[in-house]
Amino acid sequence: SRSESRPPTLARPRRRPMVAAAAGTTSAREPREAAALRWLNERKALVVLGVMKGGTCALRMHLRATAWEDNLSLPWEELHFFDEEDEFSKGPEHYADLFRWGDDWPPPAVLGDVTPSYLYMPKVAARLRNLLPDARLVVMLRNPVDRALSHHNHDLAKGREVGRLRDRCEEELSSSPPESRWDLFRRGLYAAQLERLLRFFPREQLLVVASERYRRQPRPWLRRIRAFAGLSDRAGWDDEELPEDHVRGGYAEALSIEDRGRLRDLYAADVARLRQLLGDALPEWAGDFPLESKL
């Protein structure tokens, strides 16, 4: 039986100092990195790739409620291993180290990475496929108009000088620089992002969840996500209502009728494409994107 003693909470990803390659060798890291790759692929992996302001923080908290019982190592923080160059350059040994509990506890059977910018950043899918080819992938999608407004107000609440939503939208969409984690509006163009992901992973490894459904009925959707990830049929929190996380009160900037119309126009074609891709009418979004026909 497993010890009642639990490993310390991974409040912050641990950083292992890099070891320089020995002179005259190709790389002193190669044997360790090969071992790290084996260690990673001997375990189940659940990666939640998106989206920001789509309920991923709540999902992480719900999964962590029974993480010890599930033998699941799921850090509190976003790891950004696959979308930050300085993190990715540290290699698979560094990534594996983020999940290790130390020698005093048995190693985890399941690894969890909740980093909602992964879906948006183009390099992630290939990197993820190379490192964790059998990972189970979960994407939570929120009405892109509501997501953009929430994201903008998140930045305002953080004290970031981002200006008015309309000006920010015009500035971001007026040029086509490479994707950045600081982008707001282009993050809501979900169809192309999912199509890119599906070029690297089979559809059966991907579960897409409408955020509105999860928020309305978190327990059955949590069970579905757990089953998809290969976890047992428990949802944690006993009979209590599953708590939400990072849900803010009133917004500092509301969305005018005119600006809401602008965002509907921005996302309408992509939502139609997304509905076809998923075979899901997404009726929860019909207030902004009317249902034209049955799928």
Side-chain angles (χ1 to χ4, degrees):
S1 62
R2 302 183 71 203
S3 168
E4 291 300 317
S5 172
R6 302 187 180 201
T9 300
L10 292 178
R12 294 186 179 276
R14 293 172 292 166
R15 304 294 190 234
R16 172 175 290 182
M18 298 301 296
V19 178
T25 65
T26 55
S27 174
R29 292 169 54 188
E30 286 182 359
R32 297 197 311 272
E33 300 219 333
L37 279 170
R38 288 194 301 273
W39 189 89
L40 289 167
N41 285 284
E42 286 168 356
R43 286 154 179 81
K44 297 177 182 177
L46 170 64
V47 182
V48 180
L49 301 98
V51 295
M52 180 180 174
K53 310 311 295 178
T56 58
C57 290
L59 176 58
R60 180 197 289 114
M61 180 170 58
H62 299 162
L63 289 167
R64 281 182 58 94
T66 55
W68 178 246
E69 292 80 2
D70 294 324
N71 203 6
L72 164 68
S73 179
L74 176 58
W76 268 117
E77 292 192 351
E78 298 172 10
L79 301 184
H80 291 291
F81 175 77
F82 294 101
D83 67 350
E84 286 192 357
E85 296 303 320
D86 59 340
E87 285 294 297
F88 188 72
S89 67
K90 297 174 184 177
E93 184 189 14
H94 168 73
Y95 189 62
D97 194 47
L98 300 178
F99 302 102
R100 291 189 173 114
W101 287 333
D103 297 334
D104 295 333
W105 294 274
V110 187
L111 312 177
D113 182 347
V114 179
T115 305
S117 55
Y118 282 168
L119 180 67
Y120 180 62
M121 300 303 291
K123 293 182 179 180
V124 168
R127 291 173 171 180
L128 184 58
R129 176 68 182 181
N130 288 334
L131 194 64
L132 298 174
D134 299 319
R136 309 296 275 179
L137 311 176
V138 172
V139 173
M140 302 182 75
L141 297 182
R142 182 179 181 182
N143 177 327
V145 175
D146 294 335
R147 196 217 69 82
L149 179 62
S150 179
H151 186 158
H152 179 66
N153 278 277
H154 169 89
D155 287 344
L156 292 176
K158 291 283 188 179
R160 296 168 182 157
E161 296 182 2
V162 294
R164 295 173 62 247
L165 184 141
R166 180 185 299 185
D167 297 336
R168 187 178 183 183
C169 182
E170 291 176 353
E171 180 178 356
E172 180 180 320
L173 300 180
S174 64
S175 60
S176 301
E179 288 84 348
S180 163
R181 282 177 50 205
W182 299 109
D183 292 344
L184 187 159
F185 300 96
R186 290 188 292 171
R187 282 179 182 247
L189 299 169
Y190 302 139
Q193 298 169 49
L194 287 174
E195 288 167 347
R196 179 176 61 219
L197 184 65
L198 290 170
R199 288 198 291 270
F200 293 92
F201 287 91
R203 184 65 177 85
E204 58 267 23
Q205 283 180 235
L206 172 65
L207 177 63
V208 177
V209 180
S211 302
E212 294 82 0
R213 295 171 191 170
Y214 190 92
R215 187 172 186 183
R216 187 176 65 247
Q217 295 183 305
R219 196 173 297 276
W221 279 102
L222 178 58
R223 286 199 172 96
R224 182 170 176 179
I225 292 168
R226 290 178 57 84
F228 176 74
L231 301 174
S232 63
D233 184 19
R234 67 163 67 94
W237 305 99
D238 299 323
D239 293 326
E240 301 175 25
E241 181 178 355
L242 290 172
E244 294 184 317
D245 194 25
H246 285 195
V247 176
R248 302 185 185 277
Y251 284 161
E253 183 179 347
L255 195 61
S256 69
I257 294 175
E258 181 182 0
D259 287 343
R260 191 166 198 100
R262 288 170 179 258
L263 291 181
R264 287 170 175 163
D265 291 343
L266 172 63
Y267 295 123
D270 187 79
V271 169
R273 184 173 158 194
L274 179 68
R275 284 167 165 162
Q276 292 296 324
L277 177 65
L278 299 179
D280 185 335
L282 298 169
E284 296 84 358
W285 301 0
D288 286 309
F289 308 102
L291 301 174
E292 296 181 359
S293 62
K294 295 187 69 175
L295 292 173

Coordinates of all heavy atoms in Angstrom, one line a residue, residues 176-218:
S176 N 0.7 41.2 -39.1 CA 0.8 39.8 -39.0 C 2.2 39.3 -38.5 O 2.9 38.6 -39.2 CB 0.5 39.1 -40.3 OG -0.8 39.5 -40.8
P177 N 2.5 39.7 -37.3 CA 3.8 39.2 -36.7 C 3.6 37.8 -36.3 O 2.5 37.2 -36.3 CB 4.0 40.1 -35.5 CG 2.6 40.5 -35.1 CD 1.8 40.6 -36.3
P178 N 4.7 37.1 -35.9 CA 4.6 35.7 -35.4 C 3.8 35.7 -34.2 O 3.7 36.7 -33.4 CB 6.1 35.3 -35.1 CG 6.9 36.3 -35.9 CD 6.1 37.5 -36.0
E179 N 3.1 34.5 -34.0 CA 2.3 34.4 -32.8 C 3.1 34.6 -31.5 O 4.2 34.2 -31.4 CB 1.7 33.0 -32.7 CG 0.6 32.7 -33.8 CD 1.1 32.3 -35.1 OE1 2.4 32.4 -35.3 OE2 0.4 31.8 -36.0
S180 N 2.4 35.3 -30.6 CA 3.0 35.6 -29.3 C 2.1 35.3 -28.2 O 0.8 35.3 -28.4 CB 3.4 37.1 -29.3 OG 3.6 37.5 -27.9
R181 N 2.6 34.9 -27.0 CA 1.7 34.6 -25.9 C 1.0 35.9 -25.4 O 0.0 35.8 -24.7 CB 2.6 34.1 -24.7 CG 2.9 32.6 -24.9 CD 3.8 32.1 -23.7 NE 3.3 32.5 -22.4 CZ 4.0 32.7 -21.3 NH1 5.3 32.5 -21.4 NH2 3.4 33.0 -20.2
W182 N 1.4 37.1 -25.9 CA 0.7 38.3 -25.5 C -0.4 38.6 -26.5 O -1.2 39.6 -26.2 CB 1.7 39.4 -25.5 CG 2.8 39.2 -24.5 CD1 4.1 38.9 -24.8 CD2 2.7 39.2 -23.1 NE1 4.8 38.7 -23.6 CE2 4.0 38.9 -22.6 CE3 1.6 39.4 -22.2 CZ2 4.2 38.8 -21.2 CZ3 1.9 39.4 -20.9 CH2 3.1 39.1 -20.3
D183 N -0.6 37.8 -27.5 CA -1.8 38.0 -28.4 C -3.1 37.8 -27.7 O -3.1 36.9 -26.7 CB -1.7 37.1 -29.6 CG -0.5 37.4 -30.6 OD1 0.0 38.6 -30.5 OD2 -0.2 36.6 -31.4
L184 N -4.1 38.5 -28.0 CA -5.4 38.3 -27.4 C -6.4 37.8 -28.4 O -7.0 36.7 -28.3 CB -5.9 39.6 -26.8 CG -7.1 39.6 -25.9 CD1 -7.1 40.8 -25.0 CD2 -8.4 39.6 -26.7
F185 N -6.6 38.5 -29.5 CA -7.8 38.3 -30.4 C -7.5 37.1 -31.3 O -8.4 36.3 -31.5 CB -8.1 39.5 -31.2 CG -8.5 40.7 -30.3 CD1 -7.5 41.6 -29.9 CD2 -9.8 40.8 -29.8 CE1 -7.9 42.7 -29.1 CE2 -10.1 41.8 -28.9 CZ -9.2 42.8 -28.6
R186 N -6.3 36.9 -31.8 CA -6.0 35.8 -32.7 C -6.1 34.4 -31.9 O -6.2 33.4 -32.6 CB -4.7 36.0 -33.4 CG -4.7 37.1 -34.4 CD -3.4 37.1 -35.2 NE -2.3 37.5 -34.4 CZ -1.0 37.5 -34.8 NH1 -0.7 37.0 -36.0 NH2 0.0 37.8 -34.0
R187 N -6.0 34.5 -30.6 CA -6.1 33.2 -29.9 C -7.5 32.6 -30.0 O -7.7 31.4 -29.8 CB -5.9 33.5 -28.4 CG -4.5 33.7 -27.9 CD -4.4 33.9 -26.4 NE -3.1 34.1 -25.9 CZ -2.5 33.3 -25.1 NH1 -3.1 32.2 -24.7 NH2 -1.3 33.6 -24.6
G188 N -8.5 33.4 -30.3 CA -9.9 32.9 -30.5 C -10.2 32.3 -31.8 O -11.3 31.9 -32.0
L189 N -9.2 32.2 -32.7 CA -9.4 31.6 -34.0 C -9.1 30.1 -33.8 O -8.0 29.7 -34.2 CB -8.6 32.3 -35.1 CG -9.0 33.7 -35.3 CD1 -7.9 34.4 -36.2 CD2 -10.4 33.9 -35.9
Y190 N -10.0 29.4 -33.3 CA -9.7 28.0 -32.8 C -9.5 27.0 -33.9 O -8.8 26.0 -33.7 CB -10.8 27.5 -31.9 CG -11.1 28.4 -30.7 CD1 -12.5 28.6 -30.3 CD2 -10.1 29.0 -29.9 CE1 -12.8 29.4 -29.2 CE2 -10.4 29.7 -28.8 CZ -11.7 30.0 -28.5 OH -12.0 30.7 -27.4
A191 N -10.3 27.1 -35.0 CA -10.3 26.0 -36.0 C -8.9 25.7 -36.5 O -8.5 24.5 -36.6 CB -11.3 26.3 -37.1
A192 N -8.2 26.8 -36.9 CA -6.8 26.5 -37.5 C -5.9 25.9 -36.5 O -5.0 25.1 -36.8 CB -6.3 27.9 -38.0
Q193 N -6.1 26.3 -35.2 CA -5.2 25.8 -34.2 C -5.4 24.3 -33.9 O -4.5 23.5 -33.8 CB -5.4 26.6 -32.9 CG -5.1 28.0 -33.0 CD -5.6 28.8 -31.8 OE1 -5.3 28.5 -30.6 NE2 -6.2 30.0 -32.0
L194 N -6.7 23.9 -34.0 CA -7.0 22.5 -33.8 C -6.6 21.7 -35.0 O -6.1 20.5 -34.9 CB -8.5 22.3 -33.6 CG -9.0 22.7 -32.2 CD1 -10.5 22.6 -32.1 CD2 -8.4 21.9 -31.1
E195 N -6.8 22.3 -36.2 CA -6.3 21.6 -37.4 C -4.8 21.3 -37.4 O -4.3 20.3 -37.8 CB -6.7 22.4 -38.7 CG -8.2 22.3 -38.9 CD -8.7 23.4 -39.9 OE1 -7.9 24.3 -40.3 OE2 -9.8 23.3 -40.4
R196 N -4.1 22.3 -36.9 CA -2.6 22.1 -36.8 C -2.3 21.0 -35.8 O -1.4 20.2 -36.1 CB -2.0 23.4 -36.3 CG -0.5 23.4 -36.2 CD 0.1 24.7 -35.8 NE -0.5 25.3 -34.6 CZ -0.8 26.5 -34.4 NH1 -0.7 27.4 -35.3 NH2 -1.3 26.9 -33.2
L197 N -3.0 21.0 -34.7 CA -2.7 19.9 -33.7 C -3.0 18.6 -34.3 O -2.3 17.6 -34.0 CB -3.6 20.2 -32.5 CG -3.5 19.3 -31.3 CD1 -2.1 19.4 -30.7 CD2 -4.5 19.6 -30.2
L198 N -4.1 18.5 -35.1 CA -4.5 17.2 -35.6 C -3.6 16.7 -36.7 O -3.8 15.6 -37.2 CB -6.0 17.2 -36.0 CG -7.0 17.3 -34.9 CD1 -8.4 17.6 -35.4 CD2 -7.0 16.1 -34.0
R199 N -2.7 17.5 -37.2 CA -1.7 17.1 -38.2 C -0.7 16.2 -37.5 O 0.1 15.5 -38.2 CB -1.1 18.3 -38.9 CG -2.0 18.9 -39.9 CD -1.3 19.8 -40.9 NE -0.7 21.0 -40.3 CZ -1.3 22.1 -40.2 NH1 -2.6 22.3 -40.7 NH2 -0.7 23.2 -39.7
F200 N -0.6 16.3 -36.2 CA 0.4 15.6 -35.4 C -0.1 14.5 -34.5 O 0.6 13.6 -34.1 CB 1.2 16.6 -34.6 CG 2.1 17.6 -35.4 CD1 1.5 18.8 -35.8 CD2 3.3 17.2 -35.8 CE1 2.3 19.7 -36.5 CE2 4.1 18.1 -36.5 CZ 3.6 19.4 -36.9
F201 N -1.4 14.6 -34.2 CA -2.0 13.6 -33.3 C -3.3 13.1 -33.9 O -4.0 13.9 -34.5 CB -2.3 14.3 -31.9 CG -1.1 14.6 -31.1 CD1 -0.5 15.8 -31.1 CD2 -0.6 13.6 -30.2 CE1 0.6 16.0 -30.4 CE2 0.5 13.8 -29.4 CZ 1.1 15.1 -29.5
P202 N -3.6 11.8 -33.7 CA -4.9 11.3 -34.1 C -6.0 11.8 -33.3 O -5.9 12.2 -32.2 CB -4.7 9.8 -33.9 CG -3.7 9.6 -32.8 CD -2.7 10.8 -33.0
R203 N -7.2 11.9 -33.9 CA -8.3 12.5 -33.3 C -8.7 11.8 -32.0 O -9.2 12.5 -31.1 CB -9.5 12.4 -34.3 CG -10.8 13.1 -33.8 CD -10.6 14.6 -33.6 NE -11.8 15.3 -33.2 CZ -12.2 15.4 -31.9 NH1 -11.5 14.9 -31.0 NH2 -13.3 16.1 -31.6
E204 N -8.4 10.5 -31.9 CA -8.8 9.8 -30.7 C -8.0 10.2 -29.4 O -8.4 9.9 -28.3 CB -8.8 8.3 -30.9 CG -7.4 7.7 -31.3 CD -7.3 7.6 -32.8 OE1 -8.0 8.4 -33.5 OE2 -6.4 6.8 -33.2
Q205 N -6.9 10.9 -29.7 CA -6.1 11.4 -28.5 C -6.5 12.8 -28.1 O -5.9 13.4 -27.2 CB -4.6 11.4 -28.9 CG -4.0 10.0 -28.8 CD -2.5 10.0 -29.2 OE1 -2.1 9.3 -30.1 NE2 -1.7 10.8 -28.5
L206 N -7.5 13.3 -28.7 CA -7.9 14.7 -28.4 C -9.4 14.7 -27.9 O -10.3 14.2 -28.5 CB -7.8 15.6 -29.7 CG -8.4 17.0 -29.6 CD1 -7.6 17.8 -28.6 CD2 -8.4 17.7 -31.0
L207 N -9.6 15.4 -26.8 CA -10.9 15.7 -26.3 C -11.2 17.2 -26.2 O -10.4 17.9 -25.5 CB -11.1 15.1 -24.9 CG -12.4 15.3 -24.2 CD1 -13.6 14.7 -25.0 CD2 -12.4 14.8 -22.7
V208 N -12.2 17.7 -26.9 CA -12.5 19.1 -26.9 C -13.8 19.3 -26.1 O -14.8 18.6 -26.3 CB -12.7 19.6 -28.3 CG1 -13.2 21.1 -28.3 CG2 -11.5 19.4 -29.2
V209 N -13.7 20.2 -25.1 CA -14.8 20.4 -24.2 C -15.2 21.9 -24.3 O -14.4 22.8 -24.2 CB -14.4 20.1 -22.7 CG1 -15.5 20.4 -21.8 CG2 -13.9 18.7 -22.6
A210 N -16.5 22.1 -24.5 CA -17.0 23.5 -24.4 C -16.9 24.0 -23.0 O -17.5 23.4 -22.1 CB -18.4 23.6 -25.0
S211 N -16.3 25.1 -22.8 CA -16.1 25.6 -21.4 C -17.4 25.9 -20.7 O -17.6 25.7 -19.5 CB -15.3 26.9 -21.5 OG -14.0 26.7 -22.0
E212 N -18.4 26.4 -21.5 CA -19.7 26.6 -20.9 C -20.4 25.4 -20.4 O -21.1 25.4 -19.4 CB -20.6 27.3 -22.0 CG -20.1 28.7 -22.5 CD -19.0 28.6 -23.5 OE1 -18.6 27.5 -23.9 OE2 -18.6 29.7 -24.0
R213 N -20.2 24.3 -21.0 CA -20.7 23.0 -20.5 C -20.0 22.6 -19.3 O -20.7 22.1 -18.3 CB -20.6 21.9 -21.6 CG -21.4 22.2 -22.9 CD -21.0 21.2 -24.0 NE -21.6 21.6 -25.3 CZ -21.3 21.1 -26.4 NH1 -20.5 20.1 -26.5 NH2 -21.9 21.6 -27.5
Y214 N -18.7 22.7 -19.2 CA -18.0 22.3 -18.0 C -18.4 23.2 -16.8 O -18.6 22.7 -15.7 CB -16.5 22.4 -18.3 CG -15.7 21.8 -17.2 CD1 -15.3 20.5 -17.2 CD2 -15.3 22.5 -16.0 CE1 -14.5 19.9 -16.2 CE2 -14.6 21.9 -15.0 CZ -14.2 20.6 -15.1 OH -13.5 20.0 -14.1
R215 N -18.5 24.4 -17.1 CA -18.9 25.3 -16.0 C -20.3 25.0 -15.5 O -20.6 25.1 -14.3 CB -18.8 26.8 -16.4 CG -19.0 27.8 -15.3 CD -18.7 29.2 -15.7 NE -18.8 30.1 -14.5 CZ -18.7 31.4 -14.5 NH1 -18.4 32.0 -15.7 NH2 -18.8 32.1 -13.4
R216 N -21.2 24.7 -16.4 CA -22.6 24.4 -16.0 C -22.7 23.0 -15.3 O -23.5 22.9 -14.4 CB -23.5 24.4 -17.2 CG -25.0 24.3 -16.9 CD -25.9 24.5 -18.1 NE -25.7 23.4 -19.1 CZ -25.1 23.5 -20.3 NH1 -24.7 24.7 -20.7 NH2 -25.0 22.5 -21.1
Q217 N -22.0 22.0 -15.8 CA -22.1 20.7 -15.2 C -20.7 20.1 -15.0 O -20.2 19.2 -15.8 CB -22.9 19.8 -16.2 CG -24.3 20.1 -16.3 CD -25.1 19.1 -17.2 OE1 -24.7 18.9 -18.4 NE2 -26.1 18.6 -16.7
P218 N -19.9 20.6 -14.1 CA -18.5 20.2 -13.9 C -18.3 18.8 -13.6 O -17.4 18.2 -14.1 CB -18.0 21.2 -12.8 CG -19.2 21.6 -12.1 CD -20.3 21.7 -13.1

